[in-house]
Amino acid sequence: MKYIYLMPLALLFSCNEKETVTEKNEKFCLNDDLKKKVTIEEIKREPVSETFTLTGNVTYNSDNVIQFTSLINGVVTNTYFSLGDYVKKGQVLAEIKSTELNGLQSENKSVESQLAVAQRQLASVKSMFEDGIASQKDLIQAESEVKVLKASLENIKSNLALYSASPEKSVFQIKAPSNGFIVAKNMSSGMQISSGSDPLFTISDLNEVWVMVNIYATDMQNIKENMEVKIKTLAYPDEVFSGKISALSQVFDAEEHVLKARIVMKNTDLKLKPGMSADIILNKSNASAESLFAVPVKAVIFDDNQNFLVVYKDDCNLEIRQVDPVTKNREVVYFDKGIQENEKIISKNQLLIYESLK
């Protein structure tokens, strides 16, 4: 004989209630740590635009640099900096051995001796003038000679200071004229230099850099000054920098056969380095384009052949919503339904939320 055990209904309901309570208590919420890692964006309507990408490279701002050109002839004996180094104003960067230093030092000693003699002579003439032995003309002549020698000595000392002469080492010292990074270097130990030659080094603070864009003839009609652009680099693949075209050349570059455009970028975090290559993303303008709901490409989750968004209402009210895109470009996906303007979505680390909500 088989016995069937029946659970009391009260006990069964009690268990179900506990399960329901447990599920309710385990409702997913964004805690403070997780919220710092996500990005919440508001959905806006935008005209559908087509993007295209140009290449370019980062360079220093040529209007905000200091170039050092030698004023003397000589041989570089030591250098104390490398390309890319940060230097402070007054820091010794190099030393130059020059015959001009020996000449200036000898001239300095000679004029100092002549001045000492002239000052003694002036004191003697003053004494004689007071005793009525020397004339006023003699006194004026002696005073004039002292003034000329003093002026000559000041000029020599000024030149020695200008070249940062170091009598102990018998060298001229090149000192940094300002704080900044060495962005160009054209000198090394043992190198012979001459006055008026090419700049020996260039200093820039890099707080502002230029991104030079290469524009081919086929894209000229789509490029305008003050046009908003987005910039991406290999060094920061997940970061997009924003800027605008501040200047557009009217002459093709003779070597690269492209038109050059300049984007002036604030570089407060010093992430953009001279020489770094960049992709410049632009939108083709279309005044008659339809306006649709615009969502960043990175916010869309593709799973099981379907597209989803994580919709944010509040920290404990998040929703996975299936959506069907109408069209997209490199940066933006466009929708005509499924979402509403001013709704909020999570566009960074949304996959973590998605998995938790599933």
Side-chain angles (χ1 to χ4, degrees):
M1 179 180 292
K2 295 182 178 179
Y3 293 93
I4 300 174
Y5 177 75
L6 297 176
M7 182 182 290
L9 289 177
L11 183 58
L12 181 61
F13 290 145
S14 175
C15 291
N16 286 339
E17 284 178 6
K18 287 182 180 178
E19 287 177 8
T20 304
V21 170
T22 303
E23 288 178 6
K24 197 169 185 179
N25 290 339
E26 292 178 356
K27 184 177 182 180
F28 178 80
C29 291
L30 281 180
N31 57 38
D32 291 339
D33 289 337
L34 188 54
K35 197 168 183 179
K36 291 176 183 177
K37 298 176 182 178
V38 303
T39 301
I40 300 170
E41 297 191 31
E42 198 170 88
I43 296 172
K44 299 290 184 185
R45 274 187 177 273
E46 293 179 6
V48 176
S49 62
E50 180 184 349
T51 61
F52 63 103
T53 304
L54 300 175
T55 60
N57 64 285
V58 180
T59 184
Y60 52 83
N61 183 344
S62 298
D63 294 336
N64 188 27
V65 297
I66 296 176
Q67 295 181 321
F68 183 90
T69 302
S70 177
L71 301 175
I72 58 171
N73 301 320
V75 177
V76 179
T77 56
N78 289 299
T79 60
Y80 302 105
F81 69 98
S82 300
L83 188 65
D85 283 354
Y86 181 80
V87 296
K88 294 183 177 180
K89 184 177 181 179
Q91 180 180 339
V92 177
L93 303 182
E95 294 172 344
I96 300 174
K97 192 82 172 177
S98 174
T99 55
E100 293 183 38
L101 174 60
N102 297 332
L104 281 172
Q105 288 177 330
S106 298
E107 189 178 355
N108 184 66
K109 289 179 181 178
S110 175
V111 174
E112 282 179 339
S113 298
Q114 292 176 47
L115 179 60
V117 172
Q119 286 173 330
R120 286 196 297 270
Q121 181 68 23
L122 175 60
S124 176
V125 171
K126 274 185 178 179
S127 178
M128 289 188 292
F129 176 74
E130 290 170 357
D131 294 338
I133 300 173
S135 65
Q136 188 173 12
K137 180 180 178 182
D138 294 333
L139 178 62
I140 293 172
Q141 186 175 353
E143 289 175 339
S144 177
E145 186 173 354
V146 169
K147 287 180 181 178
V148 169
L149 289 171
K150 279 185 175 181
S152 179
L153 185 62
E154 286 178 6
N155 185 55
I156 295 168
K157 289 186 180 298
S158 177
N159 285 335
L160 287 169
L162 177 65
Y163 302 141
S164 298
S166 173
E168 301 82 11
K169 294 185 176 182
S170 297
V171 294
F172 290 119
Q173 293 180 323
I174 298 177
K175 296 182 179 180
S178 68
N179 296 346
F181 293 89
I182 302 294
V183 295
K185 179 186 177 185
N186 188 31
M187 66 184 302
S188 57
S189 296
M191 175 179 168
Q192 188 160 353
I193 59 175
S194 57
S195 60
S197 60
D198 291 338
L200 300 179
F201 59 85
T202 303
I203 294 177
S204 173
D205 59 17
L206 296 185
N207 289 331
E208 192 174 79
V209 294
W210 289 354
V211 179
M212 302 303 296
V213 188
N214 301 319
I215 305 172
Y216 296 93
T218 52
D219 294 315
M220 283 178 54
Q221 60 184 345
N222 299 312
I223 310 296
K224 301 287 186 296
E225 285 192 11
N226 297 317
M227 195 173 181
E228 300 286 341
V229 300
K230 296 184 184 298
I231 299 162
K232 299 191 75 172
T233 63
L234 289 174
Y236 309 102
D238 297 326
E239 189 165 358
V240 178
F241 302 92
S242 297
K244 67 169 59 176
I245 294 177
S246 57
L248 184 62
S249 175
Q250 301 301 316
V251 181
F252 269 83
D253 185 277
E255 294 182 1
E256 300 182 55
H257 304 291
V258 293
L259 208 63
K260 292 286 186 177
R262 181 171 72 236
I263 303 168
V264 180
M265 300 284 296
K266 291 293 182 184
N267 192 29
T268 50
D269 294 331
L270 301 180
K271 289 185 176 181
L272 299 174
K273 316 291 185 187
M276 185 182 285
S277 59
D279 288 335
I280 295 85
I281 304 162
L282 307 96
N283 291 331
K284 285 186 181 179
S285 57
N286 184 356
S288 61
E290 181 186 6
S291 289
L292 297 174
F293 301 117
V295 172
V297 168
K298 61 184 181 181
V300 180
I301 300 168
F302 186 74
D303 186 25
D304 195 22
N305 292 320
Q306 293 177 317
N307 295 285
F308 299 94
L309 293 173
V310 177
V311 179
Y312 172 89
K313 295 179 181 178
D314 58 53
D315 289 351
C316 290
N317 193 356
L318 300 107
E319 173 192 342
I320 296 175
R321 189 177 300 175
Q322 183 185 343
V323 286
D324 295 314
V326 175
T327 186
K328 69 175 182 177
N329 57 41
R330 180 167 173 168
E331 296 295 313
V332 179
V333 182
Y334 296 96
F335 301 90
D336 61 352
K337 58 185 179 180
I339 52 177
Q340 296 297 321
E341 190 171 10
N342 299 324
E343 275 195 302
K344 294 179 180 179
I345 59 167
I346 296 180
S347 61
K348 181 181 178 182
N349 286 326
Q350 71 277 13
L351 198 55
L352 295 173
I353 315 299
Y354 176 80
E355 293 295 337
S356 298
L357 292 173
K358 281 180 68 178

